[in-house]
Amino acid sequence: GAVVSQHPSRVICKSGTSVKIECRSLDFQATTMFWYRQFPKKSLMLMATSNEGSKATYEQGVEKDKFLINHASLTLSTLTVTSAHPEDSSFYICSARFGTRNTGELFFGEGSRLTVL
Amino acid sequence: AQSVAQPEDQVNVAEGNPLTVKCTYSVSGNPYLFWYVQYPNRGLQFLLKYITGDNLVKGSYGFEAEFNKSQTSFHLKKPSALVSDSALYFCAVRDHLGGFKTIFGAGTRLFVKA
């Protein structure tokens, strides 16, 4: 299947700093990528839809200035957590849609665990 | 709006026994339904999907799922569970009219005891 690489897998930062997480589709072009946040009680929350060459679409309640998403190429989307605070500590997972049809499954990165001290 | 419910927080089965992980959904149009599995500290892996056609779909690792339109359900099943099946399972739905956005259920933790 298609491969999605996410980096870094773990990051620890101080409160107030910014952290960038990269999501790459390694063997296919992804015009659309999705960013999810997974909370300790398992649930996966869709944060935003990242579209190549255009602005990301954020879900209700997600601060766009807090979570900056850039999809500069067909294989790379980045999520930057700006001015991170301890409540931003979480597991962030990106995914990419394979193919152009709406019927395609998502392929996920391995996730990035962010810990804000 | 789309939604997915996984009513069981955890499912416990003995190795060799059949397993079922339940999922119900709500969408305004025809649903596209998916099952994913997640191992600790990893991303999600695709298991199977229902788009159209036969209500019984077969997927990876011996898993299958049955689409039931009248009950709006898409339960995941396996005839004989393995200890290695222990993981977190997510049901997901996409509305065929709603673009590519995929909504996930809360997840069900499957524990298979040897």
Side-chain angles (χ1 to χ4, degrees), chain A residues 39-82:
Chain A
F39 292 93
K41 290 193 174 182
K42 310 172 302 182
S43 65
L44 216 62
M45 181 192 81
L46 177 64
M47 298 175 66
T49 301
S50 170
N51 300 296
E52 187 268 334
S54 64
K55 291 184 179 181
T57 304
Y58 290 81
E59 295 299 304
Q60 190 173 8
V62 178
E63 299 176 60
K64 63 178 68 176
D65 295 330
K66 173 76 170 174
F67 299 99
L68 299 179
I69 292 173
N70 183 281
H71 196 154
S73 77
L74 287 172
T75 59
L76 174 63
S77 176
T78 60
L79 167 68
T80 301
V81 183
T82 63

Side-chain angles (χ1 to χ4, degrees), chain B residues 82-108:
Chain B
L82 300 172
V83 172
S84 58
D85 292 330
S86 299
L88 188 54
Y89 290 82
F90 289 97
C91 181
V93 66
R94 186 184 300 159
D95 185 342
H96 82 293
L97 296 175
F100 303 107
K101 188 163 70 174
T102 304
I103 302 301
F104 286 79
T108 298

